Amino acid sequence: ADSLVQTLSLDEKIGQLFMVAANGRDTNEDYYLKIDSLVENYNLGGLIYFQPSPAEHTKLVNRFQSKSTIPMMNGIDGEWGLAMRIDSLKPYPWNMTLGAIQDDSLLYEMGAAVAQECKTLGIHFNFAPVVDVNSNPLNPIINARSFGEIPQNVSSKGLALMQGLQDSGVLA
């Protein structure tokens, strides 16, 4: 990696720092052409994917990677597995449910299973787990996305899931 970085111009190095959204609910070919242009002209470091089917996701990963001179990192916001963003995949429980589990090895196993799904779909980085402490049960954003109210429990659950992802080759 160091020898590759030394060959890049300053603009190319800056482009490697950016990860942009590759798709979403209302995307179309015009949007994808804009992503093609960003990849080709700015040497993006990665893309984050939202809302496709597995087949559409794979098609887009291959499309955008073919436009890049340096392989990009692909990311996803898959807090409760890839079903959070990609349809027709197996959903896992939300963090609130996982926070009640006494055996952290089960969260490790979940992380490893989610990592296998990520690798199958060409995803290198899962923006999970969320390790917010639920200090306000009325908060509509954090609430069920948190492992709970006790910082030590949130920490142990988050670490177990993260370790499962990372031991299986996916950044958390």
Side-chain angles (χ1 to χ4, degrees):
D2 288 338
S3 61
L4 175 62
V5 169
Q6 290 176 3
T7 69
L8 300 177
S9 69
L10 179 59
D11 286 347
E12 290 172 325
K13 290 175 185 175
I14 292 169
Q16 285 293 296
L17 299 173
F18 286 87
M19 178 177 267
V20 301
N23 64 339
R25 291 180 195 261
D26 299 318
T27 52
N28 55 38
E29 185 60 24
D30 288 339
Y31 180 82
Y32 297 146
L33 289 170
K34 288 178 187 175
I35 299 300
D36 287 343
S37 177
L38 290 172
V39 171
E40 293 171 337
N41 296 317
Y42 296 101
N43 203 40
L44 295 180
L47 298 169
I48 183 168
Y49 291 86
F50 299 93
Q51 306 299 336
S53 68
E56 179 72 9
H57 171 83
T58 302
K59 183 175 101 177
L60 291 173
V61 166
N62 291 332
R63 173 184 178 153
F64 298 135
Q65 286 289 11
S66 75
K67 307 286 183 191
S68 182
T69 58
I70 299 173
M72 292 182 291
M73 290 189 64
N74 298 311
I76 196 162
D77 184 17
E79 296 169 29
W80 37 277
L82 301 189
M84 181 174 173
R85 300 294 180 198
I86 300 177
D87 68 21
S88 70
L89 296 178
K90 175 176 68 172
Y92 289 89
W94 284 48
N95 287 353
M96 180 183 280
T97 302
L98 299 174
I101 294 174
Q102 299 300 306
D103 183 355
D104 286 353
S105 71
L106 296 174
L107 281 90
Y108 178 93
E109 290 177 29
M110 177 183 155
V114 170
Q116 291 308 310
E117 289 180 348
C118 287
K119 288 167 43 176
T120 298
L121 293 175
I123 295 169
H124 310 104
F125 196 109
N126 187 1
F127 289 91
V130 169
V131 290
D132 292 330
V133 175
N134 191 22
S135 60
N136 176 1
L138 299 178
N139 184 322
I141 304 300
I142 302 306
N143 198 2
R145 295 174 72 188
S146 173
F147 291 114
E149 299 81 25
I150 303 168
Q152 294 82 358
N153 188 51
V154 171
S155 175
S156 69
K157 302 300 184 239
L159 284 170
L161 202 139
M162 177 197 74
Q163 200 66 53
L165 282 163
Q166 294 191 164
D167 284 353
S168 299
V170 174
L171 295 170

